[in-house]
Amino acid sequence: MPNPWTGKGNPYTRKEVRDRLQSTIDSKKAIIAAGAGTGISAKFIEKGGADLLIIYNSGRFRMSGHGSTAGLMAYGDANAVAMEIGEFEVLPVVEEIPVICGVHGSDPRRRMWHHLLKVKEMGFSGINNFPTHSIVDGHFRQVLEETGMGFHKEVEMVALASKMDLFSIVYVATPEEAIQMADAGADAIIAHVGTTVGGSIGVVNATVTMEIAAEKTQRIIEAVREANPDVFFLTHGGPVNTPEDVVEILSRTDAHGFVGASSLERMGVEQSLTDLTKTFKEITLK
């Protein structure tokens, strides 16, 4: 339903986003959410019929030819980049699809309640916890947790968003993190099973097989579903790359859909531009 002030769909209330996703499930269709790092990506992902657009800083790195993991590094202000992409590239060109803002919840320089008010005022319909420390492990993860910049800050951010009527779709890597997010009011949980495999800048030597990815995803779903059956569950990353991969993991799990960033935005550009350029280069002079 168009917004009476803008003529476009955004922003949506939390309930309106949830109702849209439930309608997709009721139609026996998989929920497809897509990361977008540029306005033109967002424009044509919407034309393809995606259910949600998610804007986060790694999209800018990805579409600049760098690995998405750059979004976790100190290469820029993640929260400022997401807001900039939303304000100047994506929100002006989308017509109807809800747009979700990536928020670095552990950023110690932000008064998070204040930042979320700006996110809502900008016209975003919800938030996502990216960059996320859920995909950081080992000694560095321990240091982040011990110094007040751990995953719990992302959970606190989601709890704030829930109070502000912002839809939340969040990354988790373990059942324990999923439970924390569900308790904080997360609407949709994404089982992140690792960096996307393939393409020019994807992971090459991945250890997560489809079987492992399905097992991890299902454990996350089962940890939350009994206590909170209203949560939407999605899968992301690792070997889940192509539409065929998504069909397979959905057949092995109880997930409702898929979140694609590299697998939708980057992969689509890489192959299509290569093939189109080759076709042009086959042109000969008379």
Side-chain angles (χ1 to χ4, degrees), residues 24 41 52 85 93 95 110 112 116 126 131 168 175 183 210 215:
T24 297
S41 298
L52 294 175
I85 295 172
V93 300
E95 294 294 332
R110 293 295 198 286
M112 194 48 61
L116 292 181
S168 56
D183 288 346
M210 182 62 75
E215 289 176 358

Side-chain angles (χ1 to χ4, degrees), residues 164-218:
M164 294 180 179
D165 195 38
L166 281 164
F167 175 85
S168 56
I169 177 169
V170 299
Y171 287 114
V172 302
T174 67
E176 293 74 21
E177 291 171 349
I179 291 170
Q180 290 179 56
M181 282 298 193
D183 288 346
D187 296 288
I189 287 175
I190 311 163
H192 197 306
V193 298
T195 303
T196 302
V197 175
S200 65
I201 50 177
V203 171
V204 177
N205 298 314
T207 59
V208 178
T209 64
M210 182 62 75
E211 183 176 1
I212 293 172
E215 289 176 358
K216 290 181 68 174
T217 299
Q218 189 62 22

Side-chain angles (χ1 to χ4, degrees), residues 60-87:
R60 173 159 292 174
F61 291 110
R62 180 168 56 245
M63 299 310 287
S64 297
H66 311 298
S68 298
T69 307
L72 292 170
M73 305 301 289
Y75 300 149
D77 184 336
N79 282 317
V81 168
M83 293 288 276
E84 184 179 292
I85 295 172
E87 181 175 14

Side-chain angles (χ1 to χ4, degrees), residues 30-213:
I31 295 169
I32 302 298
T38 66
I40 196 163
S41 298
K43 192 172 188 177
F44 288 96
I45 287 170
E46 178 177 29
K47 284 185 178 293
D51 297 285
L52 294 175
L53 274 170
I54 308 177
I55 310 304
Y56 34 66
N57 71 325
S58 66
R60 173 159 292 174
F61 291 110
R62 180 168 56 245
M63 299 310 287
S64 297
H66 311 298
S68 298
T69 307
L72 292 170
M73 305 301 289
Y75 300 149
D77 184 336
N79 282 317
V81 168
M83 293 288 276
E84 184 179 292
I85 295 172
E87 181 175 14
F88 298 115
E89 297 194 47
V90 173
L91 288 169
V93 300
V94 297
E95 294 294 332
E96 195 267 342
I97 188 172
V99 182
I100 308 301
C101 184
V103 177
H104 195 184
S106 63
D107 185 343
R109 304 163 304 166
R110 293 295 198 286
R111 293 170 295 160
M112 194 48 61
W113 62 270
H114 183 244
H115 182 65
L116 292 181
L117 285 173
K118 291 193 290 183
V119 166
K120 190 169 185 176
E121 182 184 40
M122 183 78 69
F124 287 103
S125 298
I127 57 94
N128 166 253
N129 62 326
F130 195 90
T132 175
H133 295 171
S134 68
I135 56 177
V136 178
D137 57 15
H139 177 68
F140 185 47
R141 174 65 179 273
Q142 181 181 344
V143 171
L144 288 171
E145 298 290 342
E146 291 178 355
T147 54
M149 292 175 282
F151 183 74
H152 69 280
K153 299 297 291 185
E154 299 173 35
V155 175
E156 291 173 4
M157 181 267 291
V158 168
L160 275 174
S162 298
K163 292 180 180 179
M164 294 180 179
D165 195 38
L166 281 164
F167 175 85
S168 56
I169 177 169
V170 299
Y171 287 114
V172 302
T174 67
E176 293 74 21
E177 291 171 349
I179 291 170
Q180 290 179 56
M181 282 298 193
D183 288 346
D187 296 288
I189 287 175
I190 311 163
H192 197 306
V193 298
T195 303
T196 302
V197 175
S200 65
I201 50 177
V203 171
V204 177
N205 298 314
T207 59
V208 178
T209 64
M210 182 62 75
E211 183 176 1
I212 293 172

